[in-house]
Amino acid sequence: AFAGASLADLAAHCGDDPVPLTELNLGHLPASGKQKRDLRACTFLRTVKMLNVESLDGADYKLLFACPHLGALEVLSLGGCYSHEKAALDSLVAAEPPPNLRYLNLSGWKFTADTAARLADSPIGRQLWGLTLMTSYTPPEAWRAFYDAGLPLVGSPLFDVNAPCEYVTSTTFREEI
């Protein structure tokens, strides 16, 4: 984990022959603002299999997915309540996913049945082997949309009633449907 580091800082310090990274947790990146990130210089990402950019602003997702160095990426965490879900979802469903991406963590996103169906029917949704969501932010209609689309949900197959929970349920999803 590189607390407080930006992608630009890492790109500047990693050089042309970086140490191979397989897991990278960048956590809460600041939005790139008017000066958009240029990820072409981030060659250190070419060996990363697990990437956490949890609260990257959704407007920057398009730049992230355009990065030519994500060929090894298998697990991506874009969760977080600071990701501006509307802009993020638009970019996410339009993106051409990295070729080896299998699992996506969107904990902290609030899905509706419609937004769940949009994601499941997108190129990235059709490629995934599993999706992780936060149970307290996901209504049963959204879980059902993912289930109907055949997108496996991993990490949280149980609806719980632990506070804070916007959707009070107490049932095991797979057995009830």
Side-chain angles (χ1 to χ4, degrees):
F2 294 90
S6 71
L7 285 174
D9 293 338
L10 289 173
H13 295 289
C14 283
D16 293 331
D17 191 22
V19 173
L21 298 173
T22 56
E23 296 182 29
L24 182 58
N25 181 358
L26 293 172
H28 302 282
L29 288 173
S32 56
K34 292 183 181 185
Q35 172 105 21
K36 293 298 180 190
R37 290 188 177 96
D38 183 358
L39 301 181
R40 290 176 294 184
C42 296
T43 58
F44 63 90
L45 291 173
R46 70 178 173 242
T47 56
V48 173
K49 291 179 182 262
M50 297 176 67
L51 178 62
N52 175 357
V53 286
E54 221 170 70
S55 292
L56 179 66
D57 190 289
D60 286 344
Y61 284 10
K62 185 175 183 180
L63 300 169
L64 176 69
F65 284 109
C67 178
H69 308 295
L70 298 178
L73 187 62
E74 296 176 7
V75 180
L76 178 61
S77 180
L78 295 174
C81 56
Y82 306 107
S83 58
H84 302 105
E85 296 163 44
K86 171 79 172 91
L89 183 67
D90 291 344
S91 295
L92 194 58
V93 299
E96 185 65 36
N100 291 311
L101 184 64
R102 299 295 179 246
Y103 298 98
L104 183 62
N105 178 352
L106 296 178
S107 294
W109 286 42
K110 293 183 178 184
F111 279 94
T112 65
D114 291 338
T115 57
R118 271 186 74 200
L119 177 61
D121 192 41
S122 70
I124 198 167
R126 289 189 300 267
Q127 178 177 311
L128 292 175
W129 291 359
L131 177 67
T132 300
L133 302 173
M134 185 179 290
T135 57
S136 60
Y137 282 179
T138 309
E141 300 80 25
W143 290 96
R144 181 65 195 223
F146 287 122
Y147 177 83
D148 289 343
L151 181 54
L153 299 169
V154 295
S156 301
L158 178 71
F159 288 105
D160 59 36
V161 291
N162 296 330
C165 184
E166 294 183 22
Y167 305 101
V168 180
T169 58
S170 183
T171 182
T172 302
F173 178 70
R174 287 192 269 183
E175 294 173 1
E176 294 288 325
I177 292 187

